[in-house]
Amino acid sequence: QDKHLWEWEHNGRRKALARREQGYRTWAAEIARSASLVVLEDFDLRQVARKPPVEEQGDHDDLARSQRIAAAPGVLRSALVDACRSRGVRVVLVDPAFTTLRCEPCGAVNEWDAARYLSHRCTACGAIWDQDANAAANILRQGTALVRAEALGGGEESVEDAAPRVGRWQKRREAKAAKRVQRRRVA
C-alpha cells in the first residue's frame, strides 16, 4: 500500500513539473516569435536560493522559499534562452548592479530598503516608481545601449552570440539534402 501511495505522489509531482515546464516553453516560444531582441539580467540565481543562517531566518523565509521553488525562475530563464537561440533571436545579458536602485528617469542611485517597499520616490527628481517596472526599464536601456555600442564597433563581452541552435531533425534534413545533392552529382 505504501509503495502505491508513493508512486501515486511521485507521478503527480512529475506531471505538475512537466505541466509547468511546458507552460514556460510555450510562453518562451511566443516571446521568441514576436521579439528580435531579449534582454536579461546576468543574475546568479544561486545567491537567492542560498538559505540564510538559522539566526537570521524569519517566518517569511519559508513562504518565499516555497514560492521560489514553485515558480522555478531558473527553468523559466533557460526556457526563454533556449527558445530565443533556436529561433535566432538575440539574447543580451546585462550587469544587474543597481538596476532596482537606479531611478530610470534621472539616473540617480537611491539607497532604500527594496525588500520592504515595492514603490519608491526618487530623492533627486521626485518621480514615484514601482521597483520592478523601474528595474525592467533600466535593464532594457542597458541592453539596447550594449547592442548599439556593439553595432558601432565597441563589442561587449556580455552580448551573447545568438547563433541558432540546430536541432537533430534539422541536422537530419540537411544530411538527407546533402546526400541527394551528392547522388545527383554522381548520376
Side-chain angles (χ1 to χ4, degrees):
Q1 182 68 15
D2 287 341
K3 182 180 178 190
H4 167 72
L5 291 176
W6 180 84
E7 287 176 352
W8 179 74
E9 178 186 0
H10 176 71
N11 190 38
R13 185 180 316 111
R14 187 180 52 78
K15 283 182 179 180
L17 292 174
R19 194 172 23 248
R20 177 188 67 195
E21 288 181 20
Q22 182 59 34
Y24 285 172
R25 283 193 295 263
T26 303
W27 178 79
E30 289 176 18
I31 294 296
R33 273 193 291 274
S34 64
S36 60
L37 173 70
V38 173
V39 182
L40 299 171
E41 272 185 322
D42 192 11
F43 182 71
D44 188 8
L45 293 169
R46 293 176 296 181
Q47 295 173 352
V48 179
R50 201 168 284 135
K51 239 182 172 177
V54 176
E55 302 85 35
E56 296 177 13
Q57 284 185 0
D59 295 336
H60 69 282
D61 290 337
D62 291 333
L63 178 62
R65 184 176 250 8
S66 68
Q67 289 173 351
R68 182 192 60 79
I69 291 170
V75 175
L76 175 62
R77 183 167 65 176
S78 66
L80 184 59
V81 170
D82 289 345
C84 289
R85 285 189 177 153
S86 68
R87 288 166 179 79
V89 175
R90 181 159 217 181
V91 177
V92 178
L93 299 176
V94 298
D95 184 23
F98 304 113
T99 55
T100 301
L101 301 177
R102 185 180 313 277
C103 178
E104 199 273 327
C106 72
V109 176
N110 294 276
E111 293 295 327
W112 56 290
D113 188 7
R116 182 174 234 181
Y117 302 105
L118 296 178
S119 60
H120 178 69
R121 179 185 296 273
C122 178
T123 55
C125 69
I128 299 173
W129 34 262
D130 176 72
Q131 68 174 341
D132 293 331
N134 182 60
N138 283 326
I139 292 167
L140 180 62
R141 186 172 35 83
Q142 274 185 302
T144 53
L146 282 173
V147 170
R148 268 192 232 108
E150 186 186 65
L152 295 175
E156 290 284 332
E157 300 96 32
S158 53
V159 178
E160 289 189 3
D161 292 341
R165 181 181 59 87
V166 179
R168 66 179 181 203
W169 295 109
Q170 182 65 30
K171 288 178 187 175
R172 203 172 271 178
R173 280 188 221 112
E174 289 172 0
K176 281 184 178 181
K179 284 181 183 178
R180 275 190 234 124
V181 168
Q182 190 175 15
R183 277 188 233 138
R184 287 180 189 156
R185 286 183 186 162
V186 172

